Amino acid sequence: MAFAGCSEAVPAESPRPKTPRSIADRFAYPVGPGEYVTAARDKRDEWYNAQDFGENNHLGEDWNKNSGGNTDCGEPVYAAAHGTITYAADAGPGWGNVIIVTHTLPNRSEVQTLYGHLQEMTRTSGEVNKREKIGTIGNANGRYLCHLHFELREIKSPLWDQIGPGYSPDRTGFLDPSNFIDKRR
Ligand SMILES: [Zn+2]
């Protein structure tokens, strides 16, 4: 088996093709086992969406563990699909650490997933795989009980690659994360 670093073994006349940009053809939930049937949400599930997309003008979903309170602090947060981290920073009060991953869909359009209030960011740049751990659930520096604020944006979003308000009656460019994932699992 050849090692990737053995570039001298590749003949000059057949340069290795540039790695094609990986396509996000499948998505999974960013917490727990990643497999929920949201239409039949069941309290037996270990995780649940505590504040749905659109509820109270929420622009994302708040994912919590059923065990309640801060018992989910430090639980892993996973990339929902293959993509590239295009934002990773402490976005200040109300947000804490935030990661945005940009995904290329099979039709070549792009979407972004946003992971907010992270306690820890374990990945801050480069490509990530679906279900790769990128951070841990946090509380935005003590502002909330621990949970993951999770958004999904289309490229037409005016907030592409930016931190938004988290809540707004204007949902232009924002998608319902669970609906999107359920169609692509
Ligand atoms: Zn939220």
Side-chain angles (χ1 to χ4, degrees):
M1 189 174 151
F3 288 96
C6 293
S7 54
E8 66 276 12
V10 178
E13 62 271 26
S14 60
R16 195 186 319 187
K18 212 178 157 201
T19 307
R21 191 178 176 82
S22 296
I23 299 298
D25 54 348
R26 288 279 182 269
F27 281 69
Y29 285 84
V31 292
E35 300 164 356
Y36 303 88
V37 181
T38 51
R41 197 197 319 157
D42 187 324
K43 280 291 178 193
R44 288 172 300 181
D45 284 341
E46 203 181 0
W47 291 80
Y48 69 103
N49 174 9
Q51 187 174 222
D52 206 1
F53 178 74
E55 196 178 334
N56 306 314
N57 293 323
H58 199 214
L59 293 176
E61 294 173 343
D62 287 342
W63 283 90
N64 269 104
K65 203 170 183 177
N66 267 342
S67 42
N70 274 325
T71 55
D72 44 9
C73 292
E75 289 274 356
V77 173
Y78 307 103
H82 187 95
T84 304
I85 294 177
T86 47
Y87 181 100
D90 184 339
W95 277 107
N97 290 319
V98 177
I99 293 175
I100 296 176
V101 180
T102 300
H103 311 278
T104 304
L105 302 178
N107 68 4
R108 297 297 195 269
S109 69
E110 292 186 315
V111 295
Q112 290 188 327
T113 47
L114 178 148
Y115 311 80
H117 315 324
L118 301 176
Q119 181 178 87
E120 190 187 9
M121 296 187 285
T122 51
R123 289 291 312 273
T124 55
S125 65
E127 288 199 41
V128 291
N129 290 313
K130 178 188 163 199
R131 296 290 293 161
E132 182 173 340
K133 182 182 171 184
I134 56 173
T136 56
I137 290 197
N139 58 9
N141 304 317
R143 196 176 174 106
Y144 315 109
L145 288 175
C146 283
H147 69 277
L148 174 70
H149 175 89
F150 179 60
E151 293 180 1
L152 210 149
R153 291 115 168 249
E154 298 179 276
I155 195 154
K156 71 178 183 188
S157 169
L159 293 166
W160 191 254
D161 255 339
Q162 296 172 53
I163 303 306
Y167 295 82
S168 172
D170 179 5
R171 300 205 289 268
T172 306
F174 286 80
L175 300 172
D176 181 313
S178 288
N179 285 355
F180 185 93
I181 290 170
D182 285 345
K183 286 178 191 150
R184 291 167 180 81
R185 285 191 291 153

